[in-house]
Amino acid sequence: MKKIFSIQNTKIKYLIKIFNKKNNMNIFFVEGIKEFEMAIKGNFTPTKIFICEKIFHKYEMIQSFHSITFLISIKIFKKLAYRDNSSGIIALFKEKKYMNQLKNIKISNQNSSLILILDGIEKPGNIGSMLRIADAVNINIIILCNMKTYVYNSNIIRCSLGSIFTRNIFIEKIESIMYWLQKNKIKIVTTGFYKHKKVMNLYQTKFSHCNNIAIVFGSENKGVSNIWLKKSNKIITIPMFGYIDSLNVSNAMSIIIYEIIRQKNYASLCLFFIYVIYF
């Protein structure tokens, strides 16, 4: 491993340039041990790794990357680090292609699938939190449309705890998504707070009979695009009992997703008992 202790080093200047997004090299930053491990688990390729020897201690995780690893001073690390608890590691990774890949995915009607669509979510922290929830409930198809931020934004990576690297993510135009949903006979469930004749209370809505569901979340400010409201099979809302008329979108997602899963699991359990009793 080579050592770099000067802020004027060409590699450090290059790194700062990337950090400030003054590049078109299809490379992005990853900070932290957990996030680095998740990127490797997701088969992302590191191009350079920078570790601060006064902070970093997990050398076994970078054993196979010695040729691209550099030791840097704590002064340089603090200059580069986005947050205080990065555990002494910053790495550069190659981007993956997310555009126009959805058409290659086929959904079986034999299995129950839950698909997440994020439409125009503005805050990177919210996107990251929603990806983390998706990982917790094992939603493996996540579609992003009307993107307002860079998909590898540091806040997205941090708030998702690196789960952005291990989920199947697609960035598509709404028209392409709609065509794919219809082709695969996937029901569309839109969320939000709307005065619309199709709006239903979450807890009065039955999901157990729906096989494949795509659930759409929009931004807190604007909600979902109008086309989702027109094409939805269901529009659901969470009942509010106080003065505030909305929730943070990631909190709303937790409530809705877990209610859908609860209903589906309960229905499966009932079918199991019916089978056991009958046979």
Side-chain angles (χ1 to χ4, degrees):
M1 287 183 284
K2 296 179 181 178
K3 295 185 178 182
I4 302 175
F5 296 119
S6 172
I7 201 79
Q8 300 302 320
N9 182 281
T10 53
K11 285 186 175 61
I12 301 303
K13 285 184 175 180
Y14 171 73
L15 209 59
I16 293 170
K17 198 172 181 180
I18 293 173
F19 184 78
N20 292 327
K21 296 183 176 63
K22 294 177 180 177
N23 77 98
N24 57 355
M25 303 295 290
N26 299 319
I27 288 172
F28 63 94
F29 262 90
V30 172
E31 282 187 53
I33 289 173
K34 178 66 175 177
E35 291 83 350
F36 179 87
E37 288 176 333
M38 291 290 276
I40 297 299
K41 188 175 182 180
N43 295 316
F44 281 76
T45 305
T47 60
K48 288 183 177 63
I49 301 168
F50 298 86
I51 60 174
C52 179
E53 55 186 343
K54 288 190 176 181
I55 305 173
F56 187 75
H57 301 293
K58 293 191 68 173
Y59 284 90
E60 66 278 3
M61 67 184 280
I62 59 168
Q63 279 183 354
S64 57
F65 303 112
H66 275 204
S67 62
I68 58 170
T69 301
F70 300 86
L71 294 174
I72 57 175
S73 67
I74 194 161
K75 181 180 178 181
I76 294 174
F77 184 78
K78 286 182 176 179
K79 178 78 175 175
L80 296 172
Y82 185 76
R83 62 185 201 266
D84 294 330
N85 58 341
S86 300
S87 305
I89 182 168
I90 297 173
L92 294 180
F93 279 83
K94 290 181 181 178
E95 291 182 358
K96 279 188 179 179
K97 185 180 178 183
Y98 289 146
M99 293 290 292
N100 303 318
Q101 299 294 305
L102 190 61
K103 61 188 177 184
N104 301 322
I105 303 298
K106 292 183 179 179
I107 299 293
S108 170
N109 288 318
Q110 303 300 317
N111 300 315
S112 183
S113 296
L114 191 55
I115 294 152
L116 177 64
I117 299 175
L118 305 184
D119 176 30
I121 307 293
E122 295 169 347
K123 296 178 181 177
N126 281 339
I127 296 174
S129 296
M130 295 171 91
L131 292 175
R132 185 173 175 179
I133 296 164
D135 183 87
V137 297
N138 201 29
I139 295 175
N140 205 31
I141 296 180
I142 300 158
I143 306 169
L144 309 177
C145 58
N146 290 329
M147 280 292 287
K148 307 297 183 186
T149 186
Y150 180 47
V151 68
Y152 297 114
N153 181 287
S154 295
N155 271 334
I156 293 179
I157 295 171
R158 178 176 61 84
C159 291
S160 73
L161 283 183
S163 56
I164 185 173
F165 303 125
T166 56
R167 301 290 95 191
N168 285 324
I169 294 175
F170 305 89
I171 300 176
E172 302 281 343
K173 293 181 180 178
I174 290 180
E175 295 78 12
S176 299
I177 301 169
M178 202 67 70
Y179 174 79
W180 180 80
L181 293 173
Q182 291 170 349
K183 182 180 178 182
N184 287 278
K185 299 178 181 178
I186 298 168
K187 302 291 185 184
I188 301 170
V189 176
T190 299
T191 64
F193 299 89
Y194 308 103
K195 292 180 180 179
H196 194 287
K197 62 182 180 181
K198 285 168 61 176
V199 171
M200 301 174 68
N201 184 312
L202 169 65
Y203 300 106
Q204 295 171 350
T205 307
K206 293 183 179 179
F207 299 99
S208 55
H209 64 286
C210 299
N211 202 16
N212 296 321
I213 301 174
I215 184 156
V216 187
F217 292 89
S219 71
E220 293 174 25
N221 183 29
K222 297 178 181 178
V224 300
S225 303
N226 286 331
I227 189 171
W228 293 117
L229 297 176
K230 292 177 182 177
K231 298 290 186 179
S232 289
N233 299 100
K234 297 178 188 290
I235 302 173
I236 56 172
T237 188
I238 299 170
M240 306 294 292
F241 305 106
Y243 294 108
I244 303 300
D245 65 354
S246 64
L247 295 170
N248 173 279
V249 66
S250 62
N251 292 337
M253 176 184 165
S254 292
I255 293 168
I256 293 169
I257 294 294
Y258 275 99
E259 173 59 17
I260 293 172
I261 290 171
R262 184 195 68 80
Q263 287 193 27
K264 283 181 169 292
N265 286 346
Y266 178 75
S268 297
L269 190 62
C270 288
L271 286 173
F272 172 75
F273 281 122
I274 290 169
Y275 178 85
V276 171
I277 292 168
Y278 186 78
F279 290 98

PDB file of all heavy atoms in Angstrom, residues 3 24 63 66 74 94 140 185 193 197 199 235 244 262:
ATOM      1  N   LYS A   3       1.579   5.336   0.537  1.00  0.00           N
ATOM      2  CA  LYS A   3       1.168   6.347   1.498  1.00  0.00           C
ATOM      3  C   LYS A   3       1.082   7.711   0.838  1.00  0.00           C
ATOM      4  O   LYS A   3       1.925   8.068   0.018  1.00  0.00           O
ATOM      5  CB  LYS A   3       2.148   6.392   2.677  1.00  0.00           C
ATOM      6  CG  LYS A   3       2.164   5.110   3.510  1.00  0.00           C
ATOM      7  CD  LYS A   3       3.069   5.254   4.724  1.00  0.00           C
ATOM      8  CE  LYS A   3       3.034   3.991   5.583  1.00  0.00           C
ATOM      9  NZ  LYS A   3       3.876   4.120   6.794  1.00  0.00           N
ATOM     10  N   ASN A  24     -17.004  13.439 -15.063  1.00  0.00           N
ATOM     11  CA  ASN A  24     -17.971  12.632 -15.807  1.00  0.00           C
ATOM     12  C   ASN A  24     -17.386  11.243 -16.030  1.00  0.00           C
ATOM     13  O   ASN A  24     -17.493  10.676 -17.091  1.00  0.00           O
ATOM     14  CB  ASN A  24     -18.313  13.310 -17.149  1.00  0.00           C
ATOM     15  CG  ASN A  24     -17.078  13.556 -17.990  1.00  0.00           C
ATOM     16  OD1 ASN A  24     -15.951  13.307 -17.546  1.00  0.00           O
ATOM     17  ND2 ASN A  24     -17.271  14.038 -19.206  1.00  0.00           N
ATOM     18  N   GLN A  63      -7.970  -7.056   1.969  1.00  0.00           N
ATOM     19  CA  GLN A  63      -6.797  -7.870   1.623  1.00  0.00           C
ATOM     20  C   GLN A  63      -6.621  -8.056   0.126  1.00  0.00           C
ATOM     21  O   GLN A  63      -5.501  -8.023  -0.390  1.00  0.00           O
ATOM     22  CB  GLN A  63      -6.905  -9.246   2.298  1.00  0.00           C
ATOM     23  CG  GLN A  63      -6.481  -9.237   3.756  1.00  0.00           C
ATOM     24  CD  GLN A  63      -6.535 -10.626   4.372  1.00  0.00           C
ATOM     25  OE1 GLN A  63      -6.991 -11.563   3.728  1.00  0.00           O
ATOM     26  NE2 GLN A  63      -6.087 -10.754   5.609  1.00  0.00           N
ATOM     27  N   HIS A  66      -5.083  -4.652  -2.210  1.00  0.00           N
ATOM     28  CA  HIS A  66      -3.859  -3.940  -1.815  1.00  0.00           C
ATOM     29  C   HIS A  66      -3.318  -3.040  -2.923  1.00  0.00           C
ATOM     30  O   HIS A  66      -2.798  -1.954  -2.660  1.00  0.00           O
ATOM     31  CB  HIS A  66      -2.773  -4.936  -1.374  1.00  0.00           C
ATOM     32  CG  HIS A  66      -2.916  -5.323   0.067  1.00  0.00           C
ATOM     33  ND1 HIS A  66      -1.876  -5.785   0.838  1.00  0.00           N
ATOM     34  CD2 HIS A  66      -3.993  -5.305   0.899  1.00  0.00           C
ATOM     35  CE1 HIS A  66      -2.301  -6.046   2.058  1.00  0.00           C
ATOM     36  NE2 HIS A  66      -3.586  -5.762   2.107  1.00  0.00           N
ATOM     37  N   ILE A  74      -4.668  11.730   8.600  1.00  0.00           N
ATOM     38  CA  ILE A  74      -5.965  12.101   9.172  1.00  0.00           C
ATOM     39  C   ILE A  74      -6.403  13.473   8.676  1.00  0.00           C
ATOM     40  O   ILE A  74      -7.600  13.741   8.526  1.00  0.00           O
ATOM     41  CB  ILE A  74      -5.910  12.055  10.723  1.00  0.00           C
ATOM     42  CG1 ILE A  74      -7.345  12.102  11.281  1.00  0.00           C
ATOM     43  CG2 ILE A  74      -5.040  13.181  11.289  1.00  0.00           C
ATOM     44  CD1 ILE A  74      -7.456  11.628  12.707  1.00  0.00           C
ATOM     45  N   LYS A  94     -17.101   2.072  -9.424  1.00  0.00           N
ATOM     46  CA  LYS A  94     -17.688   2.282 -10.746  1.00  0.00           C
ATOM     47  C   LYS A  94     -19.211   2.210 -10.663  1.00  0.00           C
ATOM     48  O   LYS A  94     -19.762   1.377  -9.957  1.00  0.00           O
ATOM     49  CB  LYS A  94     -17.186   1.212 -11.734  1.00  0.00           C
ATOM     50  CG  LYS A  94     -15.720   1.345 -12.106  1.00  0.00           C
ATOM     51  CD  LYS A  94     -15.344   0.262 -13.107  1.00  0.00           C
ATOM     52  CE  LYS A  94     -13.870   0.351 -13.470  1.00  0.00           C
ATOM     53  NZ  LYS A  94     -13.482  -0.738 -14.416  1.00  0.00           N
ATOM     54  N   ASN A 140     -37.321  -6.648  -3.766  1.00  0.00           N
ATOM     55  CA  ASN A 140     -36.106  -6.732  -4.580  1.00  0.00           C
ATOM     56  C   ASN A 140     -36.202  -6.015  -5.916  1.00  0.00           C
ATOM     57  O   ASN A 140     -35.236  -5.964  -6.669  1.00  0.00           O
ATOM     58  CB  ASN A 140     -35.717  -8.198  -4.804  1.00  0.00           C
ATOM     59  CG  ASN A 140     -34.235  -8.340  -5.084  1.00  0.00           C
ATOM     60  OD1 ASN A 140     -33.421  -7.564  -4.601  1.00  0.00           O
ATOM     61  ND2 ASN A 140     -33.884  -9.314  -5.890  1.00  0.00           N
ATOM     62  N   LYS A 185     -49.134  -7.861 -15.904  1.00  0.00           N
ATOM     63  CA  LYS A 185     -50.403  -7.943 -15.164  1.00  0.00           C
ATOM     64  C   LYS A 185     -50.214  -7.652 -13.676  1.00  0.00           C
ATOM     65  O   LYS A 185     -50.677  -8.393 -12.795  1.00  0.00           O
ATOM     66  CB  LYS A 185     -51.040  -9.318 -15.364  1.00  0.00           C
ATOM     67  CG  LYS A 185     -51.378  -9.613 -16.819  1.00  0.00           C
ATOM     68  CD  LYS A 185     -51.970 -11.000 -16.988  1.00  0.00           C
ATOM     69  CE  LYS A 185     -52.267 -11.272 -18.463  1.00  0.00           C
ATOM     70  NZ  LYS A 185     -52.802 -12.644 -18.679  1.00  0.00           N
ATOM     71  N   PHE A 193     -52.294  11.604  -0.058  1.00  0.00           N
ATOM     72  CA  PHE A 193     -53.440  12.255   0.573  1.00  0.00           C
ATOM     73  C   PHE A 193     -54.171  13.060  -0.494  1.00  0.00           C
ATOM     74  O   PHE A 193     -53.813  14.195  -0.800  1.00  0.00           O
ATOM     75  CB  PHE A 193     -52.962  13.153   1.718  1.00  0.00           C
ATOM     76  CG  PHE A 193     -52.246  12.382   2.790  1.00  0.00           C
ATOM     77  CD1 PHE A 193     -50.879  12.163   2.719  1.00  0.00           C
ATOM     78  CD2 PHE A 193     -52.956  11.846   3.846  1.00  0.00           C
ATOM     79  CE1 PHE A 193     -50.223  11.436   3.697  1.00  0.00           C
ATOM     80  CE2 PHE A 193     -52.302  11.105   4.831  1.00  0.00           C
ATOM     81  CZ  PHE A 193     -50.947  10.905   4.763  1.00  0.00           C
ATOM     82  N   LYS A 197     -62.212  10.122  -5.877  1.00  0.00           N
ATOM     83  CA  LYS A 197     -63.301   9.168  -5.645  1.00  0.00           C
ATOM     84  C   LYS A 197     -62.803   7.745  -5.384  1.00  0.00           C
ATOM     85  O   LYS A 197     -63.508   6.930  -4.781  1.00  0.00           O
ATOM     86  CB  LYS A 197     -64.277   9.184  -6.826  1.00  0.00           C
ATOM     87  CG  LYS A 197     -63.664   8.756  -8.154  1.00  0.00           C
ATOM     88  CD  LYS A 197     -64.696   8.842  -9.274  1.00  0.00           C
ATOM     89  CE  LYS A 197     -64.089   8.402 -10.616  1.00  0.00           C
ATOM     90  NZ  LYS A 197     -65.078   8.497 -11.713  1.00  0.00           N
ATOM     91  N   VAL A 199     -60.087   6.977  -3.588  1.00  0.00           N
ATOM     92  CA  VAL A 199     -59.254   6.895  -2.391  1.00  0.00           C
ATOM     93  C   VAL A 199     -59.901   6.007  -1.328  1.00  0.00           C
ATOM     94  O   VAL A 199     -61.095   6.129  -1.029  1.00  0.00           O
ATOM     95  CB  VAL A 199     -58.985   8.300  -1.807  1.00  0.00           C
ATOM     96  CG1 VAL A 199     -58.298   8.193  -0.442  1.00  0.00           C
ATOM     97  CG2 VAL A 199     -58.109   9.104  -2.744  1.00  0.00           C
ATOM     98  N   ILE A 235     -56.181   3.544  -4.797  1.00  0.00           N
ATOM     99  CA  ILE A 235     -55.486   4.700  -4.227  1.00  0.00           C
ATOM    100  C   ILE A 235     -55.748   4.648  -2.731  1.00  0.00           C
ATOM    101  O   ILE A 235     -56.902   4.663  -2.298  1.00  0.00           O
ATOM    102  CB  ILE A 235     -55.997   6.032  -4.810  1.00  0.00           C
ATOM    103  CG1 ILE A 235     -55.833   6.045  -6.333  1.00  0.00           C
ATOM    104  CG2 ILE A 235     -55.237   7.209  -4.190  1.00  0.00           C
ATOM    105  CD1 ILE A 235     -56.467   7.267  -7.001  1.00  0.00           C
ATOM    106  N   ILE A 244     -51.851  17.573  11.933  1.00  0.00           N
ATOM    107  CA  ILE A 244     -50.970  17.395  10.781  1.00  0.00           C
ATOM    108  C   ILE A 244     -51.655  16.476   9.769  1.00  0.00           C
ATOM    109  O   ILE A 244     -52.248  15.460  10.128  1.00  0.00           O
ATOM    110  CB  ILE A 244     -49.618  16.782  11.207  1.00  0.00           C
ATOM    111  CG1 ILE A 244     -48.946  17.651  12.281  1.00  0.00           C
ATOM    112  CG2 ILE A 244     -48.690  16.605  10.005  1.00  0.00           C
ATOM    113  CD1 ILE A 244     -48.648  19.076  11.832  1.00  0.00           C
ATOM    114  N   ARG A 262     -48.642  -7.903   6.425  1.00  0.00           N
ATOM    115  CA  ARG A 262     -49.452  -8.513   7.495  1.00  0.00           C
ATOM    116  C   ARG A 262     -50.677  -9.222   6.904  1.00  0.00           C
ATOM    117  O   ARG A 262     -50.971 -10.365   7.256  1.00  0.00           O
ATOM    118  CB  ARG A 262     -49.890  -7.442   8.493  1.00  0.00           C
ATOM    119  CG  ARG A 262     -50.664  -7.997   9.690  1.00  0.00           C
ATOM    120  CD  ARG A 262     -51.383  -6.901  10.444  1.00  0.00           C
ATOM    121  NE  ARG A 262     -52.469  -6.321   9.666  1.00  0.00           N
ATOM    122  CZ  ARG A 262     -53.666  -6.865   9.543  1.00  0.00           C
ATOM    123  NH1 ARG A 262     -53.939  -8.023  10.128  1.00  0.00           N
ATOM    124  NH2 ARG A 262     -54.605  -6.285   8.824  1.00  0.00           N
TER     125      ARG A 262
END
